[in-house]
Amino acid sequence: MLTNQTSSLHIANDIRDIKPPVEIPSGWEWLWWTLGVLAVALILFALWKWWQKRRLQITMKPPVPAHTRAKQMLEKALELIAQPKPFCILVSDTIRVYLEERFNFRAPERTTEEFLHELQDTNLLAAEQKEKLGEFLGRCDLVKFAKYEPREPELRDLHSSALRLVEETEPVEVQSPESKVQSQIPA
C-alpha cells in the first residue's frame, strides 16, 4: 500500500492548473505600431518646422535700405566737421559704399579715377550726377591725400553734395492704387 500511496501523491502533485488562453497574433499589430511611430514623427517634424519659422521671424529684421544707412552715416559725419580729414574720409566712404550697394559698383576697392572711369560706362546716373560726383570725390581726395584743410562752410557744402546725391538716386517707392486713393482722401 505504501507504494500505492506514494504513487497517488506523486500523481496528485503532477496535476497542474489550467493555463490562460494563448493570444494568437492577428498580424496587424505591426501596422498599428508603424502608424503610431509615423504619427509621432510627423508631429515632431511639424513642431520643428513651426519652431524654425518662428525663430526666423524673430531674428530676421528687414534690412535697412542703402539710402537710409547712407543718410544716417552722413548725419554722424557732421559730428566730425571740426576735423576735415576724418570728416572727408567718412563722407567719401559713405558715398562709395552707398553707390556700391545701390548700383553694384565696386567703388570702395578702387581709386577715384578707376571708379569714375567705370562710372562713365554706365547709364545708372545722369551725366550731371556723374560730373558732380567726380567733383565731390576730387575735393574729398584733396583733403584726404593732399593735406588740404578746408573751412567749415566748404565741408558743409561737401556734406550737402553727398546728401543731395543720395536723395537724387534713392529708389522711388511705388505706391499701390489703394494707397494713392487713401493719401488723397482728406483726414
Side-chain angles (χ1 to χ4, degrees):
M1 282 263 201
L2 222 79
T3 44
N4 229 355
Q5 281 182 343
T6 31
S7 88
S8 68
L9 273 176
H10 184 59
I11 293 174
N13 289 341
D14 197 23
I15 299 177
R16 296 186 193 129
D17 199 11
I18 301 174
K19 292 184 178 180
V22 175
E23 196 170 323
I24 300 173
S26 66
W28 292 100
E29 286 84 17
W30 66 270
L31 176 67
W32 297 115
W33 280 103
T34 305
L35 288 175
V37 168
L38 285 175
V40 168
L42 185 63
I43 290 170
L44 289 174
F45 180 74
L47 286 172
W48 179 76
K49 288 297 269 185
W50 171 79
W51 181 75
Q52 290 288 83
K53 184 178 177 183
R54 184 161 185 235
R55 190 181 74 165
L56 285 176
Q57 288 174 346
I58 292 171
T59 59
M60 298 248 336
K61 296 178 183 174
V64 178
H67 64 276
T68 304
R69 272 195 315 277
K71 287 178 182 179
Q72 290 169 348
M73 290 304 293
L74 289 172
E75 279 300 312
K76 284 184 182 178
L78 286 175
E79 296 171 4
L80 300 172
I81 201 151
Q83 305 166 25
K85 187 172 182 176
F87 174 82
C88 286
I89 289 172
L90 183 57
V91 170
S92 173
D93 288 348
T94 299
I95 291 301
R96 286 173 173 264
V97 169
Y98 166 72
L99 291 172
E100 180 175 22
E101 291 176 356
R102 175 76 173 94
F103 298 112
N104 292 323
F105 291 141
R106 294 288 171 237
E109 305 97 35
R110 298 212 166 112
T111 65
T112 300
E113 291 79 23
E114 291 171 337
F115 172 63
L116 291 175
H117 180 71
E118 179 189 350
L119 188 63
Q120 295 305 319
D121 296 337
T122 68
N123 59 357
L124 297 173
L125 295 177
E128 183 181 334
Q129 289 173 330
K130 291 176 187 178
E131 184 181 324
K132 287 182 180 181
L133 178 61
E135 290 173 14
F136 167 80
L137 292 174
R139 288 170 52 196
C140 286
D141 284 352
L142 280 176
V143 177
K144 289 172 16 181
F145 304 116
K147 298 184 181 179
Y148 173 65
E149 297 241 354
R151 302 227 183 263
E152 187 175 324
E154 192 174 346
L155 293 173
R156 288 199 181 277
D157 185 46
L158 273 174
H159 183 270
S160 64
S161 297
L163 191 57
R164 192 170 33 257
L165 178 69
V166 171
E167 289 172 348
E168 289 174 359
T169 58
E170 71 183 45
V172 178
E173 292 183 24
V174 179
Q175 289 185 340
S176 66
E178 295 168 358
S179 63
K180 285 183 183 178
V181 171
Q182 287 178 353
S183 65
Q184 293 174 357
I185 299 173

